Amino acid sequence: MKTPEHPIEELITRQLDGVPLTDTERRKLHKWLEASETNRRAFLRAYEAWGDAHLAETRFDTGQAFENIRARIAEASKPRTTLRLQLRRLGIGIAAAACVALAMASYHRLQLASVPDIEAFIRQAEAPVFTQKEVQLVLSEQKTLLLETQKSTIRYDSTAIQINNAEKTIPKKEAATFNQLVVPYGKQTTLTLADGSRVWINAGSRLIYPVVFEKQKREIYVEGEIYMEVAHDAERPFSVHTGKMDVCVLGTKFYISSYGRDRTQEVVLLSGSVSVAPAGRPDHGIRIVPGQQAVLGASETLEVHEVQAESYISWIYGYLPFDNDRLSNILERLARYYNCRIECTPEAAALTLSGKLDLKDDLTEVLKILSVTAPIQLQIISPGNFRIDYNPASSRLN
């Protein structure tokens, strides 16, 4: 018989040593568990025998551990003894099997799949690149889809992933446990998650989420700007992590802005109820109601403001309102939306403006509108490259 490239023994040893498995290796271990009820029951019974193992250790003397629990297993029924012997024939110590089972149980107790949790996945994931032209849907280490349309749609159903209203369909089995969606500057994407929740992702944003949610909870990770309508499920709270904030909901509509370089992050609630806390500090959390904005500043303290919530999701409908906003903030949003470069002098950046811009217009036309309503002068340096100067003497394009 041909020796497998990655024997189960090697995968388990690496798991115990804290060495991350690739998507292929995780699937291989998962496939072994799904191969028979005997394998799954063996892991479960090993878990029962091992009990409260010290999982903080990264290496185990599996031989000694097996001897320590031999007496306890010997009193088990005959089927358990048979299962134990089968594990030994596979070259897997009971202790090793138990520890892997414990690690797997944190993700899905029934499937016992050896996968990292979402925080571990985020730490291992490569930093996103928002300057390339296509939306990147990262299904696994080996498979990434590039979506060229300006506004794309992605939907996860029970068996497949549908792209742009089923224009392209990907079987779920081709995806790893967690998927990553990177929306570059100049693009937008609408995503329907496995539980029916919908997310609108704005330009320059990243979303990390599981292909299938756990039975006990639902959680995703966000960088950038999203609007979300969460499917109600009282048994499974929904959590959104940004790296700086944790937002917990049951079923609601809300907006999040969490661009990494911004000094502040914010949540705006349109309906329902959410709790917002600094990351990892639920005891410092607050609850907001519709029409309120929770802002997390550099001091990691939360402030609550009354706002016009609908204005924060206007980009979904193709326009940008602003009310006494700094010109620098307006231009930054336009640069992300249109994937362009806009330089601005300090004097012009400090101006405050009120109004509304139609984002369905060409960017040059949008900037011209700004230039005739504010004391600024627009210079078109090159396609996609603009400069804004303060010019109190003239507010029209020369």
Side-chain angles (χ1 to χ4, degrees):
M1 180 180 294
K2 183 179 178 180
T3 302
E5 182 179 357
H6 295 289
I8 294 298
E9 300 95 313
E10 177 189 343
L11 300 185
I12 292 176
T13 299
R14 290 176 58 198
Q15 175 76 25
L16 296 177
D17 285 345
V19 179
L21 302 181
T22 66
D23 290 336
T24 300
E25 291 167 339
R26 284 193 294 269
R27 285 195 295 269
K28 187 177 186 67
L29 188 53
H30 191 182
K31 185 176 181 181
W32 181 84
L33 287 165
E34 291 186 327
S36 70
E37 182 65 20
T38 299
N39 289 356
R40 293 191 292 274
R41 288 164 61 196
F43 271 78
L44 286 173
R45 287 170 180 167
Y47 163 62
E48 294 170 0
W50 185 253
D52 296 326
H54 296 293
L55 293 180
E57 298 176 5
T58 58
R59 292 181 180 272
F60 295 87
D61 184 345
T62 56
Q64 183 60 48
F66 176 77
E67 294 300 327
N68 292 342
I69 64 174
R70 180 191 293 273
R72 289 157 58 185
I73 298 180
E75 297 177 0
S77 62
K78 184 177 180 180
R80 293 192 178 194
T81 303
T82 302
L83 288 169
R84 183 195 68 205
L85 292 175
Q86 182 174 357
L87 278 174
R88 291 187 67 189
R89 283 195 289 270
L90 287 168
I92 304 172
I94 290 291
C99 295
V100 175
L102 281 168
M104 292 173 176
S106 65
Y107 169 67
H108 198 301
R109 289 184 178 275
L110 296 178
Q111 291 186 349
L112 295 175
S114 175
V115 298
D117 59 22
I118 192 167
E119 292 183 1
F121 182 88
I122 292 165
R123 288 193 296 269
Q124 297 172 11
E126 294 184 2
V129 177
F130 297 119
T131 54
Q132 73 176 54
K133 296 181 179 180
E134 300 88 359
V135 172
Q136 305 167 64
L137 176 57
V138 184
L139 299 174
S140 68
E141 291 181 352
Q142 296 79 28
K143 191 175 185 67
T144 297
L145 296 182
L146 300 179
L147 312 181
E148 297 181 355
T149 54
Q150 183 177 0
K151 293 186 177 182
S152 53
T153 62
I154 303 170
R155 182 181 184 87
Y156 285 67
D157 60 25
S158 59
T159 60
I161 305 167
Q162 298 183 18
I163 312 296
N164 292 334
N165 298 319
E167 178 182 298
K168 184 177 183 61
T169 300
I170 307 296
K172 271 189 175 181
K173 64 182 180 181
E174 295 185 18
T177 303
F178 293 104
N179 285 180
Q180 182 174 188
L181 182 63
V182 179
V183 181
Y185 303 133
K187 297 293 179 69
Q188 290 183 7
T189 300
T190 304
L191 170 67
T192 302
L193 296 167
D195 68 335
S197 296
R198 297 187 69 193
V199 193
W200 286 257
I201 305 101
N202 207 355
S205 303
R206 171 168 74 154
L207 196 69
I208 294 176
Y209 53 94
V211 174
V212 178
F213 287 110
E214 297 183 42
K215 287 190 173 181
Q216 296 81 19
K217 62 181 179 179
R218 300 172 290 171
E219 57 182 345
I220 64 174
Y221 173 82
V222 174
E223 292 178 19
E225 190 172 21
I226 68 167
Y227 166 64
M228 187 164 191
E229 296 181 353
V230 173
H232 182 77
D233 187 343
E235 300 299 321
R236 292 190 299 173
F238 200 109
S239 297
V240 181
H241 308 289
T242 72
K244 293 184 179 179
M245 291 189 304
D246 294 328
V247 181
C248 183
V249 304
L250 287 175
T252 192
K253 300 177 182 180
F254 61 94
Y255 161 91
I256 288 181
S257 177
S258 61
Y259 288 106
R261 62 181 177 276
D262 291 349
R263 293 183 58 188
T264 62
Q265 298 194 357
E266 58 186 328
V267 178
V268 175
L269 184 61
L270 283 85
S271 70
S273 178
V274 302
S275 63
V276 186
R281 301 171 63 189
D283 54 322
H284 287 70
I286 59 174
R287 185 174 293 273
I288 60 175
V289 299
Q292 288 186 334
Q293 172 198 51
V295 180
L296 181 68
S299 62
E300 295 192 354
T301 57
L302 286 162
E303 297 180 357
V304 178
H305 307 283
E306 302 293 327
V307 296
Q308 293 292 328
E310 291 76 11
S311 67
Y312 286 82
I313 64 168
S314 60
W315 50 272
I316 295 174
Y317 307 106
Y319 67 93
L320 174 63
F322 42 96
D323 183 12
N324 203 33
D325 290 349
R326 286 172 59 92
L327 179 59
S328 58
N329 294 336
I330 298 170
L331 295 179
E332 182 180 12
R333 292 176 68 88
L334 291 175
R336 278 198 295 254
Y337 190 91
Y338 287 100
N339 189 23
C340 67
R341 178 181 176 84
I342 307 176
E343 298 179 6
C344 187
T345 62
E347 294 82 4
L351 294 172
T352 57
L353 304 175
S354 296
K356 182 171 72 173
L357 295 173
D358 190 340
L359 299 178
K360 294 185 286 293
D361 289 339
D362 177 82
L363 175 60
T364 302
E365 293 302 316
V366 171
L367 293 177
K368 284 181 179 180
I369 292 172
L370 279 178
S371 70
V372 299
T373 57
I376 58 175
Q377 180 174 337
L378 169 65
Q379 296 183 45
I380 304 174
I381 300 174
S382 62
N385 194 355
F386 304 87
R387 177 182 172 86
I388 301 291
D389 293 298
Y390 177 62
N391 185 4
S394 173
S395 62
R396 291 187 176 276
L397 180 67
N398 291 331

